Amino acid sequence: MAEPHELDEDETLYRNIGATYQPTATKFDWARHSLKLFFGGYPGKEGLPDHHVMDEETANQQFRQALHQPDSLTWFGHGTFLINIGGKRILTDPTIARRIGLSPAAIGRLVPTLPNWRDPILGLDRLDAVLITHADYDHLDLTSLKMLRQKFPRMQIIVPEGTARMMRAIKHTPINEVAWYDRRQIGAVGIDFVPAIHGVRRPPFDLDTALWGGYVLSHNGRKLYLSGDIALGSVYESIARRYGPVDVAIVPVGGYQPQHFNRAFHTTPGGVIGIARKMGARKIIASHWGTYALSEETGRTQKAAFQAAMASQKGRSEGVIFKIGESRPLWSPGQ
């Protein structure tokens, strides 16, 4: 496949490459979706699975131990992971504030923010980089970035092309824009920005005037694929040829119902597992679920659908579901 050119003919809007479905949602569909978000019309805490959140003491203890391990992963909820890799600490799509989005329509977390990243005793004394996959409000939260900047003034932020202009409130922090297939280096860790099938909707900015995507992190012969939000398309085959196989894939398993509205932006758990397997992932980790009320499916449904889809897939991939606040080794034993 030839190198994709991400801008359309008038050089103002970005577009997907090889999307299976095109957006069909009407203005009425978007208005209905916005009203349900604003008035709490989607399933909330009552729909979360049992034992979804770690107790704070255990989460903090695991986190302290993980920070002293060579490679580890901590889930704060939604798309927010702390990746401890190659001696570097990299945070993804941080949404650690109590609410995200524009007031008065901001959306509150259904779960606490764990572990306590502010506690100096736990040992998070630096943050080397923040990776933003795209500028939707549940992935680019300016309040969270301001909070992080206060504690980690030397962190740098890597964002998709066209996103920095949306971040003028984040002052005195290096912001590095990347286009698809651009590579950045953080110490010994390679970071490649790769395409995704999605889009960017961030009022009051115009639709799709900033790029979106995922990242492949590589170190010492191992690779992690952070997909960002994804729908079905042929571009993942091209990514797999360039970067696969990967050891770990972090993929979104929530925000997909109803499919007639969402399928151009979010595929089902079975769809994301198929994409992760195209990348050759040995371990597939569920993200983007059980944190905010953003769609029609409950947290229990999201978890069960991921587990069922993993069980139906023939192969050696391992499906992994974190609890809120949980830390684990990044690589499986023997990897």
Side-chain angles (χ1 to χ4, degrees), residues 190-202:
I191 300 176
D192 292 81
F193 186 56
V194 297
I197 305 295
H198 191 56
V200 168
R201 183 176 293 272
R202 189 183 182 89

Side-chain angles (χ1 to χ4, degrees), residues 19-324:
T20 300
Y21 302 107
Q22 297 301 316
T24 58
T26 65
K27 291 182 179 180
F28 174 79
D29 291 329
W30 281 110
R32 179 176 178 272
H33 173 65
S34 298
L35 288 172
K36 294 188 78 169
L37 287 174
F38 183 77
F39 289 107
Y42 289 127
K45 292 181 180 180
E46 74 283 354
L48 294 177
D50 295 335
H51 313 297
H52 179 48
V53 181
M54 298 200 77
D55 68 90
E56 185 173 0
E57 182 178 354
T58 303
N60 289 343
Q61 181 181 13
Q62 282 191 2
F63 189 53
R64 182 168 54 246
Q65 294 172 348
L67 288 174
H68 295 288
Q69 295 174 350
D71 299 287
S72 63
L73 196 63
T74 299
W75 190 43
F76 291 85
H78 206 56
T80 308
F81 286 85
L82 181 70
I83 306 170
N84 190 24
I85 179 174
K88 299 301 178 182
R89 293 169 180 172
I90 300 171
L91 193 66
T92 67
D93 288 348
T95 53
I96 54 175
R98 292 181 180 179
R99 302 180 71 81
I100 58 171
L102 286 175
S103 296
I107 301 167
R109 287 176 67 100
L110 303 177
V111 293
T113 301
L114 292 173
N116 184 359
W117 59 275
R118 295 177 183 269
D119 190 342
I121 295 177
L122 300 184
L124 186 60
D125 54 357
R126 61 180 168 81
L127 191 59
D128 297 294
V130 172
L131 305 183
I132 302 295
T133 60
H134 63 292
D136 286 355
Y137 280 106
D138 61 321
H139 292 264
L140 174 60
D141 180 55
L142 299 183
T143 300
S144 294
L145 290 175
K146 290 176 185 178
M147 293 164 60
L148 291 167
R149 184 199 61 200
Q150 290 177 352
K151 184 171 175 60
F152 309 110
R154 295 185 178 181
M155 72 180 190
Q156 66 168 295
I157 307 175
I158 299 176
V159 302
E161 192 174 80
T163 305
R165 65 194 170 90
M166 304 176 180
M167 304 171 62
R168 290 170 181 164
I170 310 302
K171 302 182 185 301
H172 312 300
T173 300
I175 298 176
N176 192 339
E177 287 195 343
V178 286
W180 287 341
Y181 298 119
D182 280 353
R183 182 178 178 86
R184 297 293 183 265
Q185 198 78 24
I186 307 293
V189 181
I191 300 176
D192 292 81
F193 186 56
V194 297
I197 305 295
H198 191 56
V200 168
R201 183 176 293 272
R202 189 183 182 89
F205 297 95
D206 290 339
L207 182 71
D208 294 345
T209 53
L211 195 54
W212 54 88
Y215 294 91
V216 175
L217 280 64
S218 55
H219 175 257
N220 199 25
R222 291 170 169 165
K223 296 176 184 176
L224 179 151
Y225 171 52
L226 175 73
S227 74
D229 284 0
I230 48 176
L232 297 178
S234 60
V235 73
Y236 307 106
E237 297 171 1
S238 298
I239 302 171
R241 285 195 294 269
R242 284 175 177 255
Y243 300 103
V246 300
D247 300 278
V248 174
I250 299 176
V251 293
V253 302
Y256 55 89
Q257 292 291 8
Q259 269 290 280
H260 79 270
F261 171 73
N262 274 309
R263 66 181 185 177
F265 313 101
H266 298 270
T267 187
T268 63
V272 296
I273 288 170
I275 291 168
R277 293 195 66 200
K278 284 182 181 179
M279 294 291 294
R282 303 179 192 179
K283 180 191 292 186
I284 304 173
I285 299 174
S287 73
H288 198 276
W289 76 282
T291 311
Y292 299 100
L294 300 176
S295 55
E296 290 186 352
E297 71 275 9
T298 67
R300 280 192 298 270
T301 299
Q302 293 164 345
K303 180 178 179 178
F306 176 73
Q307 291 173 321
M310 283 299 310
S312 69
Q313 298 281 336
K314 295 181 180 180
R316 299 180 180 179
S317 299
E318 172 193 5
V320 179
I321 297 176
F322 279 63
K323 296 179 180 180
I324 297 291

